[in-house]
Amino acid sequence: MTSLSGRTALVTGGSRGIGRGICERLAAEGALVAVHYGSDDGAAADTVATIEAAGGRAFAVRAELGVAGDADAVIGAVGAGLRERTGHAHLDVLVNNAAVGDSDGDIDSETPQAFDRLFAVNVRAPFFLIQKALPLMGAGGRIVNIGSGVTRIALPGELAYAMTKAAIETLTRNVANQVGSRGITVNTVAPGPTRTDRTAHFLDPPEAQAMVAANQALERVGTPADIAGVVAFLAGADSAWLTANVIDATGGSYLGPKRLG
């Protein structure tokens, strides 16, 4: 019996990168996983096929985030998919992973259009996805929001993005306080430098690897599996007494000098 056997999960942005790693890990632990994605049909189909080939269960849900009605579209499709496969629309785990970072981000170069899109996808969508998902959840429900280490570390070009992730941390604390009486936990996982297909071009060069190693306690670039392991723990029964937390999953990024002198 695996730790999430009989449980259901929704992972937004689940077809690539960290989201895909989370989907594969939750499915490996026994969950039926709804793999949400925005536009890449091939990546979503490949994620579902990979999960099924490994003996897991998953289905894809396509819906654009950051537009009117996005949360209703996602939760409606997930509910229908769950009913088709289980006979009910009960959701046990919601992982708000989907986010965009395509912005200059600095105070002197950010545009209102890019700023608004960041907040629409990274903040408004998770807020209303939680709102729409909560009626499907019961005692033992788990909400895991994916934040970022940049709320703790001031990096050039990341200001607006960091602001969205700081909002996610605030969302986590407040919702956790509200739904704790229902036996539902809410936590944030904050990754650091993590290699995905989208970050490989600047994390793979040797000089980038050396920079990461020099500024982390654990001297390597993270992987989606590293983050997925933390999410799987928070989605399971052993995390039942943890809520309203921000779990720093950066490998110890920017903790300070490793030695003096």
Side-chain angles (χ1 to χ4, degrees), residues 238-249:
D238 287 344
S239 67
W241 198 236
L242 293 178
T243 197
N245 289 285
V246 177
I247 310 299
D248 187 296

Side-chain angles (χ1 to χ4, degrees), residues 127-181:
F127 183 102
F128 287 103
L129 281 166
I130 292 172
Q131 182 190 80
K132 302 299 181 181
L134 278 172
L136 307 183
M137 303 184 84
R142 302 284 187 264
I143 299 172
V144 182
N145 299 316
I146 303 301
S148 175
V150 297
T151 61
R152 173 174 62 81
I153 306 159
L155 295 178
E158 298 284 356
L159 173 57
Y161 176 78
M163 290 171 66
T164 68
K165 293 305 185 178
I168 288 297
E169 294 181 8
T170 299
L171 174 66
T172 293
R173 284 191 298 272
N174 282 270
V175 176
N177 197 37
Q178 183 173 343
V179 302
S181 61

